[in-house]
Structure formats: C-alpha cells, structure tokens
C-alpha cells in the first residue's frame, strides 16, 4: 500500500519561511520522480517543483524560482520543499506527488495535502 504523508504546513507571515516534508512508504522510492504541487481556492492545481530520481534534475514553477528549493533523501524516503520569502499568493494546499519513472501513468500517487497560509 502506497502512502505519501505531508507535514510542515501552517500559517506564516509574508516574508517568512516554511519547510514541507513528504514521507513515502510502499514504493521503491529511488524509482520515483517526486514533485510538489499546489492548489489555491478557485484555481487549478499547479506544479511547484520537481526532482528527478537521484536529485540530478530540479525544475521549478516560474512563480517560485529563487525562493523555493526541493530536495530528497532516498535513504529516508523523504522529499522536502524549503519555502523562503513567502508571499500571500503562495497560500494554497500543497500536495506531494510520486510518479514512477518506469510506469508514470500507472504508478502515480498523491498525498492528502497540507495547508500553507501566508498572511499578516
């Protein structure tokens, strides 16, 4: 049984920082590309950041480049998202995604999401 469990969300003031973590179980973690997505009320889910299986490639959405950093620890089956210089428009539910590099259509999993609210 595959499980992705996010943690680290919360309320933060503009300009502040948060670190999200996602712990994976039930998968061979190093076979999975890991991503963070977010969805704000009334908006579509959007890609925030993606990291390849061994961390050699990282991609970011335009709105977070230079502020967010994605990382992974294959020994601990975790992926993290360090979010700095947070803005009110970063407010959203953040989701962890795991997609198999071998069977991306079949083995594509989501966490339950964690709320991030940026407000003064």
């Amino acid at each position: 049984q595959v499980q992705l469990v996010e943690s680290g969300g919360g309320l933060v003031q503009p300009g502040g920082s948060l670190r999200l973590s996602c712990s994976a179980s039930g998968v061979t973690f190093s076979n999975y590309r890991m991503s963070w997505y977010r969805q704000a009320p009334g908006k579509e889910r959007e890609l925030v950041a993606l990291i390849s299986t061994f961390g050699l490639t990282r991609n970011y959405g335009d709105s977070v480049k230079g502020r967010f950093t994605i990382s992974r620890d294959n020994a601990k089956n975790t992926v993290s998202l360090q979010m700095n210089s947070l803005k009110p428009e970063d407010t959203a539910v953040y989701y962890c995604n795991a997609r198999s590099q071998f069977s991306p259509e079949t083995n594509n999993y989501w966490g339950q999401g964690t709320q991030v609210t940026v407000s003064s």
Side-chain angles (χ1 to χ4, degrees):
Q1 181 180 359
V2 179
Q3 278 193 317
L4 301 176
V5 179
E6 300 103 334
S7 61
L11 173 65
V12 63
Q13 292 187 344
S17 298
L18 278 177
R19 185 177 181 86
L20 304 183
S21 293
C22 172
S23 179
S25 59
V27 295
T28 303
F29 190 70
S30 59
N31 288 344
Y32 283 74
R33 301 182 183 101
M34 300 300 297
S35 303
W36 287 95
Y37 285 75
R38 68 185 182 187
Q39 188 166 20
K43 295 188 176 182
E44 294 187 354
R45 191 172 295 190
E46 64 171 348
L47 176 67
V48 175
L50 178 151
I51 188 167
S52 60
T53 53
F54 288 93
L56 297 180
T57 301
R58 308 178 195 204
N59 294 315
Y60 297 92
D62 288 341
S63 62
V64 307
K65 284 180 182 177
R67 300 187 298 122
F68 290 11
T69 302
I70 189 171
S71 60
R72 68 187 293 160
D73 185 337
N74 285 355
K76 296 182 179 180
N77 285 11
T78 59
V79 60
S80 299
L81 184 70
Q82 178 66 42
M83 306 186 294
N84 298 330
S85 303
L86 283 161
K87 305 175 181 179
E89 50 264 44
D90 294 318
T91 296
V93 178
Y94 284 70
Y95 296 92
C96 178
N97 173 260
R99 182 168 293 188
S100 169
Q101 64 172 334
F102 302 119
S103 53
E105 297 302 319
T106 304
N107 297 108
N108 182 24
Y109 305 104
W110 295 90
Q112 81 288 351
T114 186
Q115 176 70 46
V116 171
T117 302
V118 184
S119 175
S120 55

